[in-house]
Amino acid sequence: MTDKLPAMAVLWLANLLLLAAAVAEHVRDLEVSEGAPVGTRIGFIGDGASPESGPPYLIVPVGSAVESDLAIDQTTGEIRTKVPLDRETRASYSLVAIPLSGDNVKVVVKVLDENDNSPTFPMSVMNIEFPENTPRDVKRTLHPARDLDLDVYNTQRYNIISGNVNNAFRLSSHRERDGVLYLDLQINGFLDRETTASYSLVIEALDGGSPPLRGEMTVNITIQDVNDNPPIFNQSRYFATVPENATIGTSVLKVFATDADAEENGQIEYSINRRQSDRDNMFRIDSSTGLIAVNRPLDFETKELHELVIVAKDHGLQPLETTAFVSIRVTDVNDNQPTINVIFLSDDATPKISESAQPGEFVARISVHDPDSKTDYSNINVTLSGGDGHFGLTTRDNIIYLVIVSLPLDREVQPNYTLNVVATDTGTPPLHASRTINLQVTDINDNAPEFEGTDPGTSVIQVVANDKDEGNNSAVTYSLLETPDTNSGWFQIDPRSGLVTTRAHVDCETDPVPQLTVIATDNGFPPLSSSATVLVTIHDVNDNEPIFDQSFYNVSVAENEAEGRCILKSVEYGLAHESDNKKVLSNFVKRVRSPSKSKAPHSEVKAGQSDDAISHENHLHGA
């Protein structure tokens, strides 16, 4: 055969084809393995059974591949391979052989498959992800391996040959109608990113050859984090000490927690649980570093131990948290001076002492305390100064100190004394406290009385009434309700300012607590008014002299009466009131000075007379 036929041969060949269509056609099927060497005999066109179909032949190829891949002998009908055949490139060849008899023979050469192709994955590396909380048996489709060979020589199975730590994954496969064996990767156990964050599986595909051909693909699996781990402190309880004079911002200690999760799920934020601890914000914590520092001035004497509840919380969408306890003990420094407590022993517990008090009489009780010490009154030195020697300090047990009178007192000479009590602790450096006592010497009635009296116009009280209206409706005018039975006439009120003053002299003995009714009237139309009651307490002064129970006394005494025997007792009274100078003032007592030589039967004494006056009266009566 030549590559090109002359034009006449082409015409002749066309005529033969038309003729062959009209005569009988024989089909000759031949097979050859795709792995056969070049020149391998495939077979003969004629089968030898019918001489009519024998050579020579006119060969009519169906497709150009016949001429390029097969060598056909026209005189013998032998067909051989001209090149190595590849079933995957061309699975069969067809040609028509026309013998001289005119019958045509259709020859079909089928190329038989051999296992000459390995399973091949479309990519050598594949990357996938699984959340660590993915349930068991969940599948993820992988790229399948494809094999150009047929049937048993196609891909038959897959294996994981390395990287499957703890047998975390398994493979499953199924063949679809297109003949491809599709591949799935399944979760075989429970994933934990904190244990194994990634896997690198080497997966092989095998065909059915003997030995099988193989193909490989690496599957890189990233385990995605979920927030399944709370923060964990490196200690469940922390301990620290800090001096009470630590300044604000002083570092106390640092807590530390870790979170096995990744990124936001593992990022920790620290805080103090204020609902359960440190409600006074005595401490603060750095939310990022966990450093605890002093936030407010500490005081050992107020609180010695602070218990903090520290929270570590991650930044997950549903954050997890854990707690730890921090015990901070405040240590004492000598930052408190002693305290001095004075209790005055007067009848109303005020700093006063009667001028009649005798040496040794108690004035006040003193106790001291140092907050820096846990034991009251310990190691404190107490001294007393002032008073010009009239007062002293005594103690029996160095616990309770008593201020006593040391020298007689005289209010008319000195009505007030200033005493100074100093308490010093034994700290380094020592601290001390002092207390000044302004002591009043109270009077006894040893001076002539003074009349009471308040000049008219003396201010008593200023009342104020508020009116929520405005303008004239809120202008208030004050007046006093005339009530003679309550001695309201002693007082007057300024109608504009509400200042109550005296209008006449007041008298405590007449009415010690006069009652006033103040009327406040606005300037509205009609005017509105309201009232308030004012009770005025009048302080008594000694303005009444004593009064004898009778103005004249008759006394009889025997001439031989013993010296010193009482011959007369009179009683002087004052006007009844609460003040000491209104109580019974004195008893007027006369006693026999010497035995009388007179025969007079009696003596007469007038009220208020002195001893000399009595002697004079006796003389007038011939005593």
Side-chain angles (χ1 to χ4, degrees):
M1 296 180 62
T2 60
D3 293 336
K4 295 183 180 179
L5 295 175
M8 290 300 294
V10 173
L11 181 59
W12 177 70
L13 179 58
N15 290 331
L16 286 178
L17 289 175
L18 292 174
L19 180 61
V23 299
E25 180 182 69
H26 302 281
V27 178
R28 176 70 165 148
D29 292 318
L30 298 176
E31 293 179 347
V32 62
S33 176
E34 66 175 332
V38 175
T40 298
R41 179 189 291 168
I42 298 174
F44 292 88
I45 295 174
D47 56 3
S50 58
E52 295 83 3
S53 61
Y57 301 97
L58 175 65
I59 303 301
V60 180
V62 180
S64 60
V66 173
E67 295 181 314
S68 61
D69 296 351
L70 301 179
I72 304 173
D73 190 335
Q74 294 180 345
T75 59
T76 64
E78 183 183 37
I79 304 175
R80 291 178 180 271
T81 60
K82 184 187 293 188
V83 295
L85 302 183
D86 183 12
R87 187 203 65 80
E88 288 72 37
T89 302
R90 183 172 293 279
S92 64
Y93 298 86
S94 299
L95 57 93
V96 176
I98 303 173
L100 294 177
S101 63
D103 293 336
N104 63 320
V105 178
K106 182 178 181 182
V107 180
V108 177
V109 179
K110 181 179 180 182
V111 181
L112 300 178
D113 188 33
E114 287 189 0
N115 193 20
D116 59 347
N117 289 281
S118 300
T120 303
F121 288 96
M123 56 180 62
S124 61
V125 178
M126 183 176 181
N127 298 317
I128 62 173
E129 295 177 341
F130 280 103
E132 63 176 322
N133 61 348
T134 304
R136 184 171 180 158
D137 297 329
V138 169
K139 295 180 180 180
R140 188 66 55 82
T141 299
L142 303 181
H143 296 304
R146 298 178 184 269
D147 194 327
L148 297 178
D149 295 325
L150 300 176
D151 301 329
V152 70
Y153 297 136
N154 204 316
T155 303
Q156 297 299 313
R157 66 184 186 277
Y158 298 98
N159 293 324
I160 301 175
I161 61 176
S162 67
N164 194 13
V165 179
N166 295 325
N167 199 28
F169 301 93
R170 69 176 186 271
L171 301 176
S172 62
S173 60
H174 62 283
R175 196 176 300 277
E176 296 287 348
R177 302 175 74 179
D178 58 2
V180 177
L181 186 64
Y182 287 94
L183 175 62
D184 293 318
L185 180 66
Q186 287 184 267
I187 303 297
N188 193 50
F190 295 99
L191 302 179
D192 184 11
R193 189 205 65 84
E194 289 70 45
T195 302
T196 306
S198 63
Y199 298 82
S200 184
L201 305 183
V202 178
I203 298 176
E204 67 172 1
L206 299 90
D207 61 19
S210 181
L213 300 180
R214 307 165 187 265
E216 291 185 357
M217 175 177 66
T218 299
V219 180
N220 293 321
I221 303 171
T222 300
I223 306 303
Q224 297 172 311
D225 185 46
V226 296
N227 195 21
D228 59 346
N229 289 279
I232 298 176
F233 283 97
N234 61 346
Q235 297 176 218
S236 60
R237 180 174 286 273
Y238 298 81
F239 298 92
T241 59
V242 60
E244 65 175 324
N245 62 348
T247 59
I248 295 175
T250 299
S251 298
V252 179
L253 82 159
K254 186 176 182 180
V255 298
F256 180 73
T258 57
D259 193 320
D261 293 321
E263 299 177 351
E264 292 293 314
N265 294 332
Q267 186 175 347
I268 296 175
E269 177 180 303
Y270 300 96
S271 63
I272 298 175
N273 188 328
R274 301 292 183 186
R275 295 189 303 273
Q276 297 182 359
S277 65
D278 197 29
R279 296 184 179 180
D280 295 329
N281 293 311
M282 303 302 294
F283 299 90
R284 62 173 181 256
I285 188 170
D286 189 293
S287 61
S288 300
T289 65
L291 181 64
I292 298 174
V294 176
N295 190 52
R296 298 182 65 183
L298 302 175
D299 186 13
F300 168 83
E301 291 70 38
T302 301
K303 191 169 185 179
E304 181 180 350
L305 181 65
H306 295 265
E307 295 280 0
L308 308 184
V309 178
I310 306 299
V311 179
K313 181 173 64 174
D314 60 34
H315 285 187
L317 291 178
Q318 294 180 333
L320 301 177
E321 63 181 41
T322 190
T323 59
F325 299 94
V326 176
S327 297
I328 302 175
R329 186 169 296 279
V330 180
T331 58
D332 186 30
V333 296
N334 192 28
D335 61 341
N336 289 279
Q337 58 188 16
T339 59
I340 301 174
N341 183 39
V342 180
I343 299 176
F344 297 101
L345 302 179
S346 60
D347 53 358
D348 58 356
T350 59
K352 66 182 181 181
I353 185 70
S354 172
E355 64 177 327
S356 64
Q358 299 300 310
E361 188 169 331
F362 299 145
V363 177
R365 176 184 182 273
I366 297 177
S367 59
V368 291
H369 169 61
D370 190 343
D372 288 321
S373 173
K374 290 300 182 182
T375 304
D376 291 347
Y377 318 113
S378 64
N379 300 321
I380 301 175
N381 183 38
V382 180
T383 59
L384 177 69
S385 61
D388 298 328
H390 286 80
F391 301 93
L393 194 65
T394 183
T395 180
R396 294 180 180 178
D397 50 13
N398 294 322
I399 295 178
I400 301 298
Y401 292 82
L402 295 170
V403 178
I404 61 172
V405 176
S406 297
L407 297 175
L409 304 174
D410 186 356
R411 189 200 67 82
E412 287 72 31
V413 175
Q414 185 166 347
N416 296 287
Y417 289 92
T418 299
L419 308 180
N420 190 40
V421 179
V422 178
T424 305
D425 65 22
T426 56
T428 305
L431 300 177
H432 70 274
S434 62
R435 175 77 178 269
T436 299
I437 300 174
N438 293 315
L439 187 65
Q440 176 188 1
V441 180
T442 60
D443 187 36
I444 60 175
N445 193 17
D446 57 353
N447 291 282
E450 296 180 1
F451 288 96
E452 70 177 350
T454 299
D455 293 334
T458 300
S459 298
V460 178
I461 189 175
Q462 184 171 14
V463 295
V464 177
N466 295 318
D467 193 318
K468 295 182 179 180
D469 294 323
E470 62 182 11
N472 288 334
N473 293 332
S474 64
V476 177
T477 301
Y478 301 95
S479 62
L480 289 179
L481 184 64
E482 293 292 337
T483 52
D485 56 329
T486 64
N487 296 300
S488 63
W490 291 351
F491 303 93
Q492 61 189 357
I493 190 170
D494 187 291
R496 293 183 177 275
S497 67
L499 179 64
V500 177
T501 58
T502 57
R503 184 166 60 184
H505 287 286
V506 298
D507 185 15
C508 177
E509 287 72 34
T510 302
D511 187 354
V513 186
Q515 177 175 311
L516 309 179
T517 300
V518 179
I519 306 297
T521 305
D522 62 24
N523 202 26
F525 183 80
L528 300 178
S529 64
S530 62
S531 64
T533 300
V534 177
L535 299 178
V536 181
T537 300
I538 299 175
H539 296 290
D540 185 35
V541 296
N542 192 14
D543 59 347
N544 291 280
E545 62 183 8
I547 300 175
F548 281 95
D549 58 343
Q550 59 188 65
S551 60
F552 190 82
Y553 297 89
N554 289 323
V555 180
S556 297
V557 59
E559 66 177 338
N560 60 348
E561 194 68 61
E563 183 178 350
R565 183 177 181 84
C566 178
I567 61 172
L568 172 64
K569 182 177 181 180
S570 64
V571 179
E572 300 169 283
Y573 295 94
L575 295 180
H577 200 260
E578 291 84 353
S579 301
D580 289 342
N581 52 18
K582 293 297 190 289
K583 297 178 183 177
V584 175
L585 298 181
S586 65
N587 292 328
F588 187 74
V589 179
K590 285 299 175 180
R591 300 180 183 274
V592 176
R593 292 184 178 179
S594 60
S596 175
K597 301 299 183 180
S598 172
K599 301 297 183 177
H602 65 271
S603 297
E604 296 177 351
V605 181
K606 294 182 180 178
Q609 287 180 318
S610 65
D611 290 346
D612 293 337
I614 295 174
S615 299
H616 181 69
E617 289 288 337
N618 290 338
H619 177 73
L620 292 177
H621 286 83

